């Protein structure tokens, strides 16, 4: 995976530092410059197309923020809110695009987070795809018998036709998943990992550098 | 002895009935065992009890003793037992929970506490054994059904268990996938690993096992070599007998042939007349399609094209389906069968070409309007259940479509045996009962065309018989039936016409026997003629001589 040569812990520190810095910016051009830098990094990592995909959802959220903040406050606040959301969203996007769930969970465990908690967290990310497929199957099954589950006020009445089977299948899937994990030794004491994350000099340098940079921006 | 059940009974929490009862069983290293029985006979529970998931994961009440590798499963947690026995579950989606195939294979090895170098060694072994090299970096959710199953099998095989259990592994496989799984199981045996396989479709694996166990209502009824068991009286256990055994039994012959060659040998050795088999086949041949003079097309597709994103799925399909026909859509997984079926009720619309269903252009007609004419019974009935009673579940569709006919629906309830279940929650039903509810829901608006998507997958013999009867009744009423299926034996017996699809192309269209006699088309669609067909053809040639 792109950028996976760094330890996920050092990337996590960079992400947290970047988020803190972005939260402290209160001028639109500061946020615009930060977003510009993040986009350059995105392009350098050949993630431009993937970012455009993200923009479908993130752009909509930023636009909604813009409208709400514009109506509640003023134009300047609306611009700041939209830019901040786009910047922070892009920072998280870069982190998850360059860090596999396994690498992240191994790193979190190394930092002392409990294994069951970390594993369940990463597994739930995998199941988004499975559940998305289920949504499509359920929607087709209901449409095939004439139940309107797409668009319009009538669909609201039949929302349980979509939500009911999905909820039940999600619970069922979770149960089957837990059983399958148990059958492959989930929770076994003495678990070892194929890739043990190791902090190298470069990781330390990046962590110290980003913390120092964040403190500088925040306090000076 | 690797696995032993001593007078084991188990019931799930809150259940009065025992899922397995008074079970005595001993499995030795290197043994291959097939466990058969009707739905709800306790097969899956036996698998779960073998690896300690019963009682540790499912709780409930367990009496007697299960010994796995000499360890009492009640006294040892699952994470101490999983190195001895591994289970491949029915649903591959729910057992692939890592980000990549490689991580999936490594997961159990990490649980075993192996060193990174040992993990690498095991991964290399299992990748080579199952030929997974090309899949190793893939994301599990991007794999096909057959690939997912291979990965799930590899993930447990990497643990090098002493016994491997597989719960209905053939259910979602196409004929090529099934053949691949059989080869894999032979390889596993050659590695000295015992296996227990639970399966409805006995003919898929019967020649590769040394022992057949029949469960019925949680009790072990018969245990012996497959031939011993199948030559006894097993008519009450709801088994899908291998097709040639079924023919011999119907003719009152005692032998149990598993292959065409065996059947011919037995017939020669016992001076059994080929003509009797041919006459039997003639009498039991499928209901013919409508006569050409009475042919009234209900579906007319011309040059139908469809693609998902940039991937072509249907490429220039032409077809006509007549009123009262039973047609089977057949081909590999991913050949475009379900995609084509979804065009018939407007869930998908062609990118190019035209499709008329009952004279309605599907590009200009809404799915809800087409739903009055086309019923769709899905493979997974759980996709549609959301009402509090079976009655409401079935009647929701016709009420929305304003096509509710109380007399028709009452007849439907009676025909599908749903009468006693009408006030029950659909969620409390067995999978077979849910399937019947989904059939009723699909038929409730009195559609002229009904599509059954993999209707026999994972179903026992009594269900298949009921389905066959239903299909014939629907045809007699002048309704057109489309079967989307991998079950060639069923399709050959009940469909008067097959449509073979390969990579989105309609490569052949005709009566099953004509298509099975066309080796080029069959090979292109990844199929082999059924054993019944092969036997009949050989006997016909013999009688000509």
């Amino acid at each position: 995976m792109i950028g996976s040569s760094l330890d996920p812990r050092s990337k996590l520190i960079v992400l947290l530092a970047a988020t803190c810095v972005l939260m402290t910016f209160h001028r639109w051009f500061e946020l615009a410059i930060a977003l510009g830098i993040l986009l350059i990094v995105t392009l350098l990592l050949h993630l431009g197309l993937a970012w455009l995909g993200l923009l479908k959802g993130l752009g909509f959220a930023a636009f909604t923020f813009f409208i709400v903040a514009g109506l509640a406050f003023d134009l300047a606040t609306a611009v700041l809110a939209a830019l901040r959301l786009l910047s922070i969203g892009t920072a998280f996007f870069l982190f998850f695009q360059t860090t596999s769930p396994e690498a992240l969970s191994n790193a979190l465990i190394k930092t002392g987070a409990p294994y069951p908690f970390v594993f369940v967290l990463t597994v739930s990310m995998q199941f988004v795809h499975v559940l998305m497929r289920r949504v499509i199957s359920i929607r087709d099954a209901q449409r095939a018998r004439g139940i309107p589950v797409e668009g319009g006020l009538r669909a609201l009445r039949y929302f349980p036709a979509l939500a009911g089977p999905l909820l039940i299948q999600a619970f069922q899937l979770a149960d089957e998943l837990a059983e399958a994990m148990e059958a492959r030794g989930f929770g076994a004491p003495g678990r070892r990992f194929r890739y043990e994350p190791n902090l190298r000099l470069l990781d330390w340098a990046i962590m110290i550098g980003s913390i120092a940079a964040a403190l500088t921006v925040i306090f000076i | 002895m690797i696995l032993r059940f001593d007078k084991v009974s188990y019931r799930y929490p809150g259940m009065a009935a025992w899922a397995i009862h008074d079970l005595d069983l001993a499995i030795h290293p290197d043994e291959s065992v097939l466990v058969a029985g009707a739905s709800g006979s306790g097969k899956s529970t036996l698998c779960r009890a073998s690896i300690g998931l019963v009682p540790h994961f499912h709780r409930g009440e367990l009496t007697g003793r299960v010994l796995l590798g000499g360890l009492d499963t009640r006294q040892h947690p699952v994470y101490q037992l999983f190195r001895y026995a591994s289970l491949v579950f029915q649903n591959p989606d729910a057992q692939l929970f890592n980000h990549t195939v490689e991580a999936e294979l490594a997961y159990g090895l990490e649980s075993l506490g192996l060193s990174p170098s040992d993990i690498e060694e095991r991964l290399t072994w299992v990748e080579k054994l199952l030929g997974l090299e090309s899949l190793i970096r893939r994301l599990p959710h991007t794999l096909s059904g057959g690939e997912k199953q291979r990965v799930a099998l590899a993930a447990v095989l990497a643990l090098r268990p002493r016994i491997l259990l597989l719960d209905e592994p053939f259910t979602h496989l196409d004929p090529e996938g099934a053949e691949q799984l059989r080869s894999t199981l032979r390889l596993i045996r050659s590695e000295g690993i015992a296996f227990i396989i639970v399966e409805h479709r006995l003919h898929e694996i019967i020649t590769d096992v040394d022992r057949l166990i029949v469960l019925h209502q949680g009790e072990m009824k018969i245990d012996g070599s497959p031939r011993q068991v199948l030559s006894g009286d097993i008519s009450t256990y709801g088994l899908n007998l291998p097709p040639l055994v079924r023919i011999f039994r119907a003719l009152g012959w005692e032998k149990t042939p598993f292959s065409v060659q065996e059947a011919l040998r037995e017939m020669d050795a016992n001076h059994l007349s080929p003509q009797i088999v041919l006459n039997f086949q003639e009498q039991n041949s499928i209901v013919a399609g409508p006569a050409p003079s009475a042919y009234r097309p209900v579906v007319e597709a011309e040059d139908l094209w469809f693609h998902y994103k940039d991937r072509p799925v249907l490429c220039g399909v032409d077809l006509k389906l007549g009123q009262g026909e039973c047609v089977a859509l057949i081909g590999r997984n991913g050949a475009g069968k379900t995609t084509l079926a979804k065009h018939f009720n407007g869930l998908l619309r062609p990118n190019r070409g035209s499709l008329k269903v009952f004279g309605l252009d599907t590009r200009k007609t809404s799915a809800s309007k087409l739903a009055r004419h086309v019923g769709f019974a899905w493979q997974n009935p759980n996709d549609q259940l959301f009402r509090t009673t079976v009655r409401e579940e079935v009647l929701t569709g016709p009420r929305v479509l304003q096509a509710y006919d109380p007399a028709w629906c009452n007849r439907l309830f009676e025909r599908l045996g749903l009468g006693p279940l009408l006030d029950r929650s659909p969620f409390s039903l067995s999978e077979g009962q849910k399937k019947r509810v989904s059939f009723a829901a699909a038929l409730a608006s009195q559609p002229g065309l009904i599509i059954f998507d993999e209707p026999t997958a994972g179903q026992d013999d009594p269900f298949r018989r009921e389905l066959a009867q239903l299909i014939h009744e629907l045809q007699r009423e002048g309704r057109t039936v489309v079967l989307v299926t991998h079950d060639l034996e069923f399709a050959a017996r009940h469909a008067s016409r097959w449509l073979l699809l390969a990579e989105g192309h309609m490569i052949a269209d005709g009566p099953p026997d004509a298509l099975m006699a066309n080796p080029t088309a069959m090979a292109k669609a990844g199929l082999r003629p059924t054993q019944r067909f092969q036997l009949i053809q050989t006997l016909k040639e013999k009688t000509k001589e």
Side-chain angles (χ1 to χ4, degrees), chain B residues 389-461:
Chain B
T389 64
V390 168
R391 188 196 312 274
E392 283 303 307
E393 190 64 58
V394 174
L395 300 186
T396 299
R399 282 182 178 149
V400 172
L401 296 170
Q402 296 177 329
Y404 176 43
D405 175 350
W408 164 259
C409 289
N410 287 338
R411 258 179 54 212
L412 203 55
F413 291 144
E414 199 180 318
R415 179 191 273 183
L416 291 164
L418 294 176
L421 308 175
L422 287 178
D423 295 319
R424 276 181 63 183
S425 161
F427 303 108
S428 68
L429 306 179
S430 71
E431 288 304 305
Q433 288 168 331
K434 283 181 187 171
K435 200 111 177 161
R436 291 213 296 269
V437 172
S438 80
F439 288 176
L443 288 164
S445 303
Q446 305 187 52
L449 168 65
I450 170 95
I451 301 160
F452 291 100
D453 188 13
E454 294 291 354
T456 58
Q459 302 301 323
D460 56 19
D461 194 51

Side-chain angles (χ1 to χ4, degrees), chain B residues 11 19 32 34 59 67 70 83 89 138 140 189 196 298 309 353 377 392 399 437 451 527 537:
Chain B
R11 58 182 159 203
S32 53
L34 171 59
R59 310 289 169 192
L67 292 172
R83 65 190 67 227
F89 295 85
R138 297 263 303 270
R189 271 201 87 180
I196 295 180
V298 295
K309 294 181 180 166
E392 283 303 307
R399 282 182 178 149
V437 172
I451 301 160
L527 306 171
Q537 288 306 103

Side-chain angles (χ1 to χ4, degrees), chain A residues 102 145 179 184 191 194, chain B residues 58 95 99 111 120 393:
Chain A
E102 280 81 36
R145 53 180 181 153
E179 190 179 22
R184 275 200 271 154
R191 183 180 185 84
R194 188 170 171 225
Chain B
H58 291 276
Q95 51 196 315
H99 187 62
S111 300
E120 293 309 323
E393 190 64 58

Side-chain angles (χ1 to χ4, degrees), chain A residues 48-173:
Chain A
L49 273 179
W51 185 82
L52 284 177
L54 169 85
L55 199 59
K56 281 182 202 161
L58 187 64
F60 177 74
F63 180 71
T64 311
F65 257 50
F66 178 81
I67 297 291
V68 171
L71 290 173
F73 303 102
D74 51 39
L75 181 67
T77 312
V79 171
L80 278 177
L83 279 173
R84 186 169 287 128
L85 187 66
L86 280 174
S87 314
I88 293 175
T90 305
F92 273 83
F93 162 81
L94 284 172
F95 175 77
F96 284 108
Q97 283 291 318
T98 58
T99 312
S100 74
E102 280 81 36
L104 178 61
S105 63
N106 286 359
L108 287 174
I109 290 162
K110 197 94 174 177
T111 56
Y115 175 72
F117 168 76
V118 172
F119 191 73
V120 169
L121 192 76
T122 48
V123 162
S124 56
M125 286 157 64
Q126 302 300 327
F127 277 81
V128 172
H129 302 287
V130 178
L131 288 176
M132 285 307 292
R133 275 210 313 276
R134 300 289 358 130
V135 170
I136 294 167
S137 303
I138 293 165
R139 189 196 60 195
D140 282 353
Q142 305 300 23
R143 285 180 66 210
R145 53 180 181 153
I147 297 175
V149 286
E150 282 186 321
L153 281 176
R154 225 173 144 218
L156 272 181
R157 188 180 157 204
Y158 288 101
F159 180 68
L162 206 58
L166 182 64
L167 211 60
I168 285 166
Q169 290 194 33
F171 282 126
Q172 199 177 352
L173 195 63

Side-chain angles (χ1 to χ4, degrees), chain B residues 108-127:
Chain B
L109 302 172
E110 291 176 338
S111 300
L112 283 176
L114 297 184
S115 67
S117 61
D118 286 342
I119 292 177
E120 293 309 323
E121 185 250 313
R122 295 269 189 111
L123 287 183
T124 310
W125 172 73
V126 81
E127 275 170 36

